[in-house]
Amino acid sequence: QVQLVESGGGLVQPGGSLRLSCAVSKFIFDYYVIGWFRQAPGKEREGVSCISSSRSDSSTSYTDSVKGRFTISRDNAKNTVYLQMNSLKPEDTAVYYCAARLATVCVLSGQYDYWGQGTQVTVSS
């Protein structure tokens, strides 16, 4: 059974930090690209970051608005992908989802096959 379970969302002040976690089944972790997406109220879903599978080169990609502030990483022992978010801004407020795609190259476009339930991130003073 494919599972992606997000955690780590919450309320944070502007300039603060949060770390999101995405726990996945081992097969997904080893062979799938894992991406983080977000959707704010009234806006389209946006790709935030992705990381290639542990069986590939674990290359990463980021959307321009989060470069230098967000870092995606994986813990091979825990089958978990993290999104470290620093210097958060109110415009980062959204529901964040992790998703998996059977591919070797990390790209934020295209079809992702499996999705988690989402976790709310709110940046507000």
Side-chain angles (χ1 to χ4, degrees):
Q1 183 178 0
V2 176
Q3 282 191 316
L4 295 91
V5 181
E6 303 101 331
S7 60
L11 172 64
V12 64
Q13 292 186 343
S17 298
L18 281 175
R19 188 179 75 162
L20 304 183
S21 300
C22 177
V24 305
S25 55
K26 181 168 175 56
F27 181 80
I28 296 294
F29 189 82
D30 285 347
Y31 293 103
Y32 281 61
V33 167
I34 302 297
W36 282 99
F37 296 79
R38 64 186 180 187
Q39 188 164 22
K43 294 188 176 182
E44 292 188 355
R45 188 172 62 202
E46 174 190 27
V48 176
S49 182
C50 62
I51 187 167
S52 296
S53 72
S54 63
R55 295 299 180 103
S56 68
D57 62 357
S58 290
S59 58
T60 60
S61 181
Y62 299 90
T63 192
D64 286 346
S65 63
V66 307
K67 285 180 180 177
R69 300 189 297 123
F70 291 10
T71 303
I72 192 169
S73 62
R74 57 169 68 239
D75 185 330
N76 293 340
K78 296 182 178 180
N79 295 338
T80 299
V81 174
Y82 300 102
L83 185 69
Q84 178 67 44
M85 306 186 295
N86 298 329
S87 302
L88 283 162
K89 305 175 181 180
E91 51 263 44
D92 294 317
T93 296
V95 178
Y96 283 70
Y97 301 89
C98 66
R101 179 183 184 188
L102 183 59
T104 55
V105 178
C106 163
V107 293
L108 291 171
S109 59
Q111 181 73 30
Y112 274 67
D113 304 301
Y114 302 104
W115 292 82
Q117 81 286 356
T119 185
Q120 176 71 46
V121 172
T122 303
V123 184
S124 175
S125 55

